[in-house]
Amino acid sequence: MFILLGMPVVQIIIFGFALTNEVKNSKIAILDPSKDAATTSLIAQMEASRYFEVDQVIHSAEEIEPIFKKGKIKLAVIFPANFNEDLQHFNKAQVQLIADASDPNVANTLTNYATAVIMDYQNRITSDRKLPYTINTEMRMLYNPELKGAYNFVPGVMAMVLLLVCTMMTAITIVREKEMGTMEIMLVSPMKPFRIVIAKAVPYLLLSSVNIASILLLSVFVLDVPINGSLVLLVFESLLFTLVSLALGLLISSKAESQQTAMFISLVALFLPTVMLSGFMFPVENMPLPLRTVSNIVPAKWYYSIVKSVMIKGIGLHAVWKETLILMGMLVFFLGLAIKNFKIRLA
Amino acid sequence: MSTDKVITAEQLTKRFGDFTAVDAISFDVYKGEIFGFLGANGAGKTTAMRMLSGLSMPTSGKASVAGFDVYKENEKIKQNIGYMSQKFSLYEDLTVKENIRFYAGIYGKSDQFIKEKTALVLEQLHLTAEGNKLVKSLPLGWKQKLAFSVAIFHEPQIVFLDEPTGGVDPVTRREFWNMIYLAAEAGITVFVTTHYMDEAEYCNRVSIMVDGRIDALDTPEQLKRTYGVTSMDDVFLKLARKAVRSAD
C-alpha cells in the first residue's frame, strides 16, 4: 500500500525538485589583483546571479590549486593585474576561468554561465560607450582537460558495483539460507555466529577485490582515465567501502525474511539513493536541504567523493581523512547493528 | 529403557510480549527414549523445542539438556544435540557427499571420521551410487532420510526432529520411523514433534500440548486407557477440543 501510494509522490518530488542538472549557488573563488571599477562591477554581477556565490577571495595564483583540492570551489575567476586599464586602453581584456572538471557536466555548465555573465557585461559597456570592447575568456578545465564523461562515471560505477555485489548478494545469500532452513541448522550447531557471518562475507570481499581491479584496469587502459593519486590509498578506500557494503548486506539479511524482501530493500534503500544522491548523476549541492541531509547517510556519497579526489584530482589522505573517518564510523555502526541483530538465539 | 534423564524441564515458560507461547511445562526425557511431542499448530511445540535446542532463550523456568543448563551452557548443549527441521535443510546445490561433509565439518569432525562414516551412511541409505548427485535431484523421501542421517552424523546424545515427516508418503514415513528406531537402539534419544497421530503410536512416551501447556504425558497405551478410547487420534481430539487458542 505504502509503495503503491507513496512511490509516485516521492518520485515526483525527487525528480521534480532535486534532480536537476541545473547548477545553482556554486561556490566560486575570485582572484582580483586589479580591484578596479570594471572587475568590481563584474564580480557584483556574478554574485547577483543565482548561479554563483563568491566563497573566497584569493590573493595569488599559488592559492588556486590548493583550494580546488579542498573541493569546495567549483570555479575560479582570475582577473589580470590591470583589467580595467587594458579594457580602456586597448578595448580588450582577458579573464581566465578555471573549472573543476572532475565533474565535467557541472564544469561545462558553470563556465557557460560565467561566460554569459561576462558577455552580458561586455555588451552593456559596448552599447553605453559606443566602443567595441572585447573581453576574452580563457577557460581551463582542471583535472579533466578533455571533459571526458568517464572521469565522472568511473568513480560512480565503482561505488555502484561494490554496493550491488556486496550488499545485495550478501543479503540475498544469507536470507536464502534462512529460507531453506540451513541457517537454523548452523545456529544449533556449535559454530559461532561470528564465524558464520565471516564465512558468508569473505567470498564477496574477494569478488569485490576482483571487481575493483577490473574496473581500475579498464578505466586506465581502455578509457584513459588516469589514477593520479596513490593506488594504495585508492585500494584501501575501496576495501573500506566494500566492508561498509558488506555490513549493510548483513544488516539487511538480519531483518529480511525472504529473498524478495532482501532484494527490494537493497534496491530501494541502497541502490536508488546511490544513483540519485551520491552526486554521481545529479549534483548534490543543488538539492534542497532535506535531501542534502539525507544524502549524508548514503555511504556511496562519501566513497564517490573520495575516489574522485584520489583518482582524478590526485590528492592524498590529508584531503579525504574526513570522508574516510565517516566511512569507518558507518562501518562500525552498521556492523555493530548487524551483529546485534544476528542473534544466536533467534527469539 | 534407562532411567537416566537427558532432558529435564521445570516450569519452562516462553512469553512473547503478552502472549505466552509455552506455559510452565515440566517433563523429563530418558536416555534412548523416543519422546513424542504432540500438539495442534500453534500449541507451542516448536517454541518449546527451540528453547531446548538453544535457539530461543526461555522467559522463566529451568531446563537442562544432556546435563547442561539451557541458560548458561547452551554452547555445550549444541555439541551434544542434532537438529532436523521440517524443511529438511540440505543444500540443494551441493551433492549428497558435500552436504554430509559440510554439516559434519561444522561439528568439527575430522576428515578421516567423515570419510569413513559417509561410506557407511550412504550404504545404509542405499545412496552409495548417488553420493555425487546434487541433492535437488533426489526425491523428497530420500532427502528426508538423508537429512536425518546428517542430523545424527556427529553422533549426538539427543536428536531433535521438528515435524520430520511433513509432506512425505506413508511408505517413506514408515521407513523413516525404522531409522528412528535404529537410532534409539544405538542410544540416541529422539525428541520428535509431529501432528500425525499414527506416528504418536510409535513413540515410547507422548506429551500432548494444548495452548502452551502439557495436558497429558504418558505411554500411548496408558493414554488411550485413561481417556477410554481406542486410538491416539481420539485422545488427541478429546484434549484438543479444549483449546481456546486458534492455530495460526
Side-chain angles (χ1 to χ4, degrees):
Chain A
M1 246 349 225
F2 169 77
I3 295 157
L4 280 177
L5 299 176
M7 271 307 235
V9 176
V10 172
Q11 284 184 344
I12 281 290
I13 291 175
I14 292 186
F15 282 108
F17 287 103
L19 303 182
T20 65
N21 282 309
E22 212 179 304
V23 182
K24 276 180 262 174
N25 298 328
S26 288
K27 300 216 161 73
I28 61 170
I30 304 276
L31 173 61
D32 178 17
S34 168
K35 290 208 179 61
D36 51 45
T39 58
T40 316
S41 108
L42 244 176
I43 293 166
Q45 261 179 54
M46 285 210 162
E47 222 172 351
S49 86
R50 62 200 175 94
Y51 306 119
F52 304 110
E53 186 188 319
V54 178
D55 187 69
Q56 34 188 304
V57 176
I58 51 176
H59 305 287
S60 73
E62 281 82 54
E63 287 176 63
I64 299 171
E65 196 80 15
I67 56 164
F68 271 108
K69 286 201 167 169
K70 273 192 199 148
K72 259 177 101 182
I73 303 299
K74 297 280 171 201
L75 183 81
V77 182
I78 318 290
F79 292 102
N82 27 27
F83 182 79
N84 202 21
E85 266 180 59
D86 286 354
L87 206 57
Q88 302 304 333
H89 294 153
F90 310 109
N91 297 345
K92 233 185 221 172
Q94 286 264 340
V95 187
Q96 194 185 24
L97 299 173
I98 304 179
D100 176 352
S102 60
D103 188 336
N105 292 332
V106 172
N108 217 352
T109 317
L110 281 181
T111 46
N112 284 343
Y113 287 157
T115 315
V117 172
I118 294 165
M119 283 305 122
D120 190 51
Y121 177 78
Q122 176 196 306
N123 293 341
R124 236 186 27 235
I125 53 172
T126 309
S127 59
D128 280 356
R129 302 181 200 170
K130 310 276 186 285
L131 279 168
Y133 290 110
T134 33
I135 303 176
N136 284 329
T137 48
E138 186 209 314
M139 280 177 245
R140 230 181 93 203
M141 295 297 177
L142 217 55
Y143 309 123
N144 182 1
E146 293 163 67
L147 285 180
K148 275 196 201 161
Y151 283 58
N152 194 31
F153 78 70
V154 166
V157 167
M158 281 180 68
M160 248 162 48
V161 166
L162 293 181
L163 203 68
L164 210 61
V165 171
C166 297
T167 309
M168 199 147 107
M169 295 315 285
T170 320
I172 286 177
T173 45
I174 293 184
V175 173
R176 193 169 120 94
E177 299 233 15
K178 271 199 201 172
E179 273 186 344
M180 293 200 312
T182 46
M183 185 54 86
E184 214 174 22
I185 304 286
M186 280 199 268
L187 290 177
V188 290
S189 84
M191 281 251 286
K192 295 266 180 293
F194 184 69
R195 276 185 70 185
I196 303 176
V197 170
I198 297 292
K200 282 276 133 192
V202 165
Y204 295 102
L205 190 62
L206 293 179
L207 270 178
S208 311
S209 312
V210 175
N211 279 333
I212 296 172
S214 60
I215 294 176
L216 288 181
L217 285 174
L218 274 177
S219 38
V220 172
F221 293 108
V222 180
L223 299 171
D224 288 329
V225 179
I227 298 175
N228 289 324
S230 140
L231 183 62
V232 177
L233 182 62
L234 187 61
V235 170
F236 164 77
E237 298 284 2
S238 302
L239 286 179
L240 179 62
F241 181 67
T242 308
L243 290 174
V244 174
S245 312
L246 283 172
L248 274 169
L250 294 177
L251 186 61
I252 292 174
S253 69
S254 69
K255 287 282 170 207
E257 287 303 328
S258 74
Q259 289 182 59
Q260 281 93 333
T261 320
M263 177 105 104
F264 187 78
I265 299 179
S266 309
L267 279 178
V268 173
L270 289 168
F271 196 62
L272 289 184
T274 299
V275 171
M276 295 198 232
L277 298 178
S278 68
F280 157 45
M281 292 219 159
F282 308 97
V284 178
E285 291 88 352
N286 306 320
M287 294 182 184
L289 186 66
L291 274 176
R292 273 207 314 266
T293 317
V294 172
S295 79
N296 285 335
I297 60 167
V298 177
K301 176 190 164 180
W302 305 105
Y303 176 66
Y304 176 70
S305 124
I306 292 173
V307 174
K308 257 171 69 167
S309 303
V310 175
M311 199 168 158
I312 311 295
K313 297 191 192 171
I315 44 189
L317 187 61
H318 61 90
V320 293
W321 62 271
K322 208 176 84 190
E323 286 88 343
T324 310
L325 272 186
I326 290 174
L327 280 184
M328 282 177 171
M330 284 180 168
L331 173 63
V332 171
F333 178 74
F334 289 132
L335 203 61
L337 211 59
I339 287 176
K340 194 170 157 278
N341 271 310
F342 194 87
K343 275 179 228 133
I344 170 171
R345 301 193 183 211
L346 294 168
Chain B
M1 198 165 47
S2 89
T3 50
D4 298 345
K5 292 174 188 172
V6 287
I7 301 175
T8 63
E10 268 177 66
Q11 304 289 315
L12 194 63
T13 302
K14 176 78 189 186
R15 272 190 285 273
F16 298 103
D18 292 340
F19 177 73
T20 308
V22 173
D23 191 0
I25 57 171
S26 303
F27 60 90
D28 296 320
V29 180
Y30 303 105
K31 186 168 164 46
E33 181 176 37
I34 300 173
F35 188 83
F37 212 58
L38 274 61
N41 288 336
K45 292 178 307 231
T46 302
T47 310
M49 186 183 249
R50 292 171 77 91
M51 283 194 281
L52 295 175
S53 55
L55 278 178
S56 171
M57 186 68 120
T59 312
S60 65
K62 276 194 254 176
S64 77
V65 175
F68 300 111
D69 184 68
V70 291
Y71 291 96
K72 292 179 216 127
E73 299 170 301
N74 65 321
E75 291 303 318
K76 285 186 182 143
I77 290 176
K78 288 176 168 185
Q79 284 286 357
N80 288 291
I81 61 169
Y83 178 84
M84 173 180 167
S85 79
Q86 36 195 323
K87 293 176 187 161
F88 305 161
S89 311
L90 297 164
Y91 288 93
E92 301 258 308
D93 300 329
L94 295 182
T95 66
V96 172
K97 279 185 181 169
E98 284 166 343
N99 266 286
I100 294 177
R101 205 173 74 212
F102 175 75
Y103 282 115
I106 62 178
Y107 281 93
K109 293 293 172 192
S110 70
D111 289 349
Q112 182 67 20
F113 174 89
I114 295 173
K115 213 176 144 195
E116 283 167 15
K117 191 147 187 209
T118 302
L120 197 72
V121 165
L122 289 181
E123 204 185 300
Q124 280 169 357
L125 290 171
H126 308 293
L127 278 176
T128 309
E130 278 81 12
N132 291 319
K133 276 198 183 162
L134 292 184
V135 163
K136 66 176 159 208
S137 68
L138 298 181
L140 191 66
W142 285 15
K143 278 188 208 167
Q144 174 213 29
K145 285 188 266 180
L146 178 62
F148 180 67
S149 302
V150 164
I152 58 169
F153 193 88
H154 59 285
E155 298 169 351
Q157 287 190 48
I158 305 158
V159 63
F160 289 92
L161 310 175
D162 190 6
E163 296 187 7
T165 51
V168 181
D169 66 80
V171 178
T172 315
R173 266 169 57 197
R174 195 64 213 229
E175 286 171 13
F176 185 73
W177 274 90
N178 285 334
M179 290 180 72
I180 292 182
Y181 277 118
L182 283 175
E185 271 167 33
I188 297 178
T189 307
V190 180
F191 186 102
V192 54
T193 71
T194 181
H195 47 232
Y196 292 111
M197 287 309 134
D198 57 327
E199 292 188 345
E201 311 261 6
Y202 305 149
C203 299
N204 297 123
R205 283 192 309 145
V206 165
S207 79
I208 297 178
M209 276 190 93
V210 179
D211 288 352
R213 294 178 314 275
I214 292 185
D215 274 14
L217 198 175
D218 218 322
T219 60
E221 292 70 35
Q222 191 58 45
L223 282 174
K224 281 184 273 188
R225 240 187 324 244
T226 310
Y227 290 91
V229 290
T230 51
S231 73
M232 278 306 292
D233 229 2
D234 295 328
V235 174
F236 185 71
L237 283 175
K238 275 200 161 180
L239 287 164
R241 214 164 273 151
K242 298 189 298 185
V244 286
R245 199 191 277 174
S246 64
D248 39 24

